[in-house]
Amino acid sequence: MLLFDTFDYWFEVYFLQGEKKLLIVEGLSASYGPVKALRGVTMSVDRSKITAVLGANGAGKTTLLRTLSGLVKAIDGSASIDGLHFENKNPEDIARMGISHVPEGRGVVQEMTVDENLRLGAIWKKDFDIKSKLNWVYELFPPLLPRSAKAAFTLSGGERQMLAVGRALMSEPKALLLDEPSLGLAPLVTAGIMSLLRKLCDDQGLAVLLVEQNARSALSVADEAVVLSLGEVVVSDKASAIKEDAALRHHYLGF
Amino acid sequence: MSNLGNFVLIGLSNGLIYSVVAICIVLIFRSTRVINFSQAALAMFSTYVAVSLIDRGVPYYLAFLIAVIFGFIAGALIERFLMRRVESKSPLNAVIVAVGVLITLEAMAGVIWGATLRNFPSHFSLIGIKIGKSRLGISPFDIFILVVVLVLLGALVFLFRYTKLGMMMRASAFAPEVARLLGVRVGRMLTLGWALAGAGGAVAGMLAAPRVFLFPNNMDAVLVFAFTAAIIGGLDSPVGALVGGLIMGVSLSLIGGYLGSDLENPGAFLILVVVLMARPQGLFSSISERRV
């Protein structure tokens, strides 16, 4: 019977889930010196889905994203995208595998212009029609167009966030890792960016991993959610299910 | 031509050389926050390479080119095998390694070529151009300096403004972490930055040698003036470094001309102190803008 069980397991992995699951994270651990920030995180991110990562301050949300994008080295566990492992790779190689990380605080290059920032997003791509991609991003975020020749530090907070997200989309990533995109933004601006991401997920199969402090708003846009506490996954479920679980919400999410 | 005019012309010509070294210092400071004290020694060493080739009958321009290529490769090797190891440590470590490279290269030059002062064969006349009856303070060699520096600056501006590579180098300098997240190989950009600085240093060494003669420490004074120029310019602005170099060149030429050449070194420090008191961030720094 054991033989059949294993067969079933692998059948599921390769033929059923393999198509849906884009990012698979297993037992991922990371630490800052002696402090363990991630303790064996296991989760997955589906194509065309927005997956929210929730939890209190210091739960390991940002560390999870930084470990996935290679800025923090994993000390244990594995991570793969489309079946290709990347847990030991450098950030630049991980980016080239189709993972775009928009760091907290809108990591735009302040001294460079909006146009240059966007071009940077796809700068490593060879034989790439950067012009049409640029136009596409300017269509997604119309406020950026009149400012294209301005240095990024002249932009407002909302415009910077649009620039950071637009730049991350330039390279046609498979997965987008967003760290606190709503921080310091007007709710309307955040809502605009979120509905746009939802559309990209539906149309292009983009997978979004969304880290949010504001659990309520994150759950309203996400399909799936993972709740972290002290570097461990405590719940991983449909966003709607977590929203309805009052005890869980009180305990881990504070609302 | 009046004395004043001549002093200014000579000063501008010297200043161009300080500018080149200052721009190399800025190039590295911008991307690694390290003051590269080994810049002077690399320039001197490249010049020695050129002079020993010229002694063996290699044409001047070819030797110049080889010196620049030597500086380029040496700069890259220093970054890749020495500076890379101390990069993540405290900035003081990197500075001490740079000083170590300076001392090692100067000592090696002494061992290989001897520590005595030697003449550097100039390809152009150092005697002032004659207009009518009077001689100008600038010689054909000064015109050569101007042309070479303009070509070098033009090439750098083209690289940083109009090429993908330059854009990646700028992004790596301004925001290394963000650049890596965008797939830019920041490590290679750093190596390239040091290589360019090494090549620029070789150009400065070749241009300075006919005037300051060639000996293992010949570029030390130039380094001090260029360093001052870079600080005047704000340490992270190439334009500032260029202007700072010219300011240093002209001021030192005037001080040397009217007050005596003994006062050039103290004069350099005086200028540094005055500028830093008036504008601590330098004349052209964008740091204050960036902190907004």
Side-chain angles (χ1 to χ4, degrees), chain A residues 32 61-72 91 95 99-110 117 120-121 157-169 175-185 193-194 208-212, chain B residues 171 174-183:
Chain A
Y32 297 112
K61 307 186 295 291
T62 296
T63 308
L64 174 63
L65 290 203
R66 290 176 65 85
T67 311
L68 287 178
S69 62
L71 291 174
V72 172
I99 299 178
S100 271
H101 180 185
V102 180
E104 197 178 348
R106 312 172 191 114
V108 298
V109 186
Q110 311 244 20
N117 264 286
L120 262 181
E159 288 165 339
R160 281 185 207 193
Q161 188 64 56
M162 290 180 200
L163 178 57
V165 173
R167 189 182 58 189
L169 293 171
L176 187 62
L177 315 183
L178 287 178
D179 200 348
E180 302 269 5
S182 69
L183 199 73
L185 293 191
I193 292 177
M194 282 306 149
V208 175
L209 189 58
L210 172 70
V211 159
E212 267 296 349
Chain B
F174 290 135
E177 193 173 287
V178 172
R180 295 188 83 188
L181 288 178
L182 298 174

Side-chain angles (χ1 to χ4, degrees), chain A residues 92-93 96 111 116 124, chain B residues 170 180 182-183 185 290:
Chain A
E92 46 267 50
D93 291 313
R96 287 164 192 235
E111 294 86 346
E116 286 174 330
W124 54 270
Chain B
R170 276 157 62 213
R180 295 188 83 188
L182 298 174
R185 301 200 187 280
R290 217 186 305 159

